[in-house]
Amino acid sequence: QRLSRLTQRQLEIVRYIAHGFTSKEIGAKLEISYRTVETHRSWIMDRLEVGSLADLVHLYFQACPEDAAAKVT
């Protein structure tokens, strides 16, 4: 599974991205700069070899289908 290549922090960021949060919202929730979130996102996409956010979200929900209906706050 490709998601196993990610750190816990990166998985947390992917989960927020998959649920529609912006970099600024994720940064506020994780108490980090939105630019740090964008850097993580870039590394995540490189590491998982995905070309778009849509591909990233698709990959995440394929790996974690039970999370599709979860409410993330």
Side-chain angles (χ1 to χ4, degrees), residues 10 14 18 31 40 62 69-70:
Q10 289 170 334
V14 170
E31 298 180 348
H40 274 296
Q62 276 189 323

Side-chain angles (χ1 to χ4, degrees), residues 9 12-45 53 56:
R9 176 62 102 187
E12 191 173 18
I13 290 171
V14 170
R15 185 169 191 245
Y16 280 121
I17 291 169
H19 284 278
F21 287 79
T22 66
S23 293
K24 286 185 181 181
E25 292 169 331
I26 297 168
K29 289 190 172 295
L30 300 180
E31 298 180 348
I32 59 177
S33 162
Y34 80 94
R35 294 289 294 145
T36 302
V37 174
E38 290 176 353
T39 299
H40 274 296
R41 185 178 65 207
S42 176
W43 291 342
I44 290 164
M45 292 177 68
L53 284 180
L56 178 62

Side-chain angles (χ1 to χ4, degrees), residues 11 19 39 44 49 54 64 66:
L11 280 171
H19 284 278
T39 299
I44 290 164
E49 301 172 2
C64 305
E66 69 283 355

